[in-house]
């Protein structure tokens, strides 16, 4: 008599563990990327370039906020970013009229690609989080596979 053993639960657990490791690694790479290349102030930075750091406070606020974990069955996630009260202003700019930076971010529901541009602007954006994510997120699937196979992440 032939029998079949089902290991689906073990495979799913291994995949979740691999995703957690790969997401944490990718978030750490994003944090490192976002912290890089912030020349001292003065002079002021130009619009759409990395902000120039006056005190290092903003750069120091860039971190992994919540390590990757299984949020619900089949969903692993984590959170990274910058947590000063002006991080959003640097990232997306401020407007002289229309919705505030906070309102524009909320209206986009957390999707950076859906944030409407500043009207005016009062201060042009000097993005540092989104460019880091754009450079690193493309490696996530590869890193999950490497982690699943027990390989070193790169």
């Amino acid at each position: 008599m032939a029998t079949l053993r089902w290991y689906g639960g073990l495979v799913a657990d291994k995949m979740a563990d691999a995703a957690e490791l790969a997401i944490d690694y990718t978030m750490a790479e994003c944090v490192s990327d976002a912290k890089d290349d912030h020349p001292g102030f003065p002079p002021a930075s130009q619009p759409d370039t990395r902000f120039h750091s006056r005190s290092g406070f903003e750069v120091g606020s860039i971190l992994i906020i919540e390590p990757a974990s299984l949020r619900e069955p089949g969903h692993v996630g984590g959170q990274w970013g910058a947590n000063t009260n002006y991080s959003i202003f640097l990232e997306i700019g401020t407007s002289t009229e229309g919705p505030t930076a906070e309102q524009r971010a909320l209206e986009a529901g957390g999707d950076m690609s859906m944030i409407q541009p500043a009207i005016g602007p009062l201060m042009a954006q000097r993005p540092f989080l989104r460019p880091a994510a754009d450079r690193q997120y493309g490696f996530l699937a590869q890193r999950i596979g490497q982690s699943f196979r027990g390989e070193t992440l790169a």
Side-chain angles (χ1 to χ4, degrees):
M1 171 190 231
T3 60
L4 177 67
R5 286 200 175 198
W6 177 249
Y7 291 101
L10 294 175
V11 172
D13 291 345
K14 183 177 177 182
M15 181 56 74
D17 291 345
E20 284 181 24
L21 186 64
I23 290 169
D24 280 340
Y25 185 92
T26 300
M27 289 192 302
E29 290 294 302
C30 287
V31 166
S32 177
D33 185 310
K35 285 184 171 193
D36 283 346
D37 194 27
H38 295 283
F41 178 90
S45 55
Q46 295 298 309
D48 294 308
T49 65
R50 294 275 181 137
F51 65 87
H52 288 196
S53 182
R54 214 175 264 208
S55 66
F57 187 68
E58 180 68 27
V59 173
S61 82
I62 303 168
L63 48 77
I64 293 176
I65 296 166
E66 188 176 332
S69 64
L70 186 63
R71 306 293 172 91
E72 57 188 59
H75 180 81
V76 176
Q79 184 179 6
W80 71 280
N83 62 4
T84 68
N85 61 349
Y86 55 89
S87 300
I88 191 73
F89 305 142
L90 289 168
E91 188 69 22
I92 68 171
T94 61
S95 298
T96 55
E97 55 189 68
T100 66
E102 293 95 338
Q103 289 168 332
R104 290 183 294 122
L106 287 172
E107 288 169 4
D111 184 346
M112 290 292 292
S113 67
M114 298 302 293
I115 294 176
Q116 296 299 311
I119 300 171
L122 181 60
M123 183 187 83
Q125 65 182 9
R126 285 155 174 86
F128 58 105
L129 300 173
R130 182 60 193 220
D134 288 345
R135 284 187 284 275
Q136 293 298 324
Y137 284 11
F139 296 111
L140 183 57
Q142 170 189 328
R143 290 173 177 154
I144 292 171
Q146 290 171 331
S147 179
F148 189 84
R149 293 186 299 272
E151 299 170 1
T152 302
L153 300 184

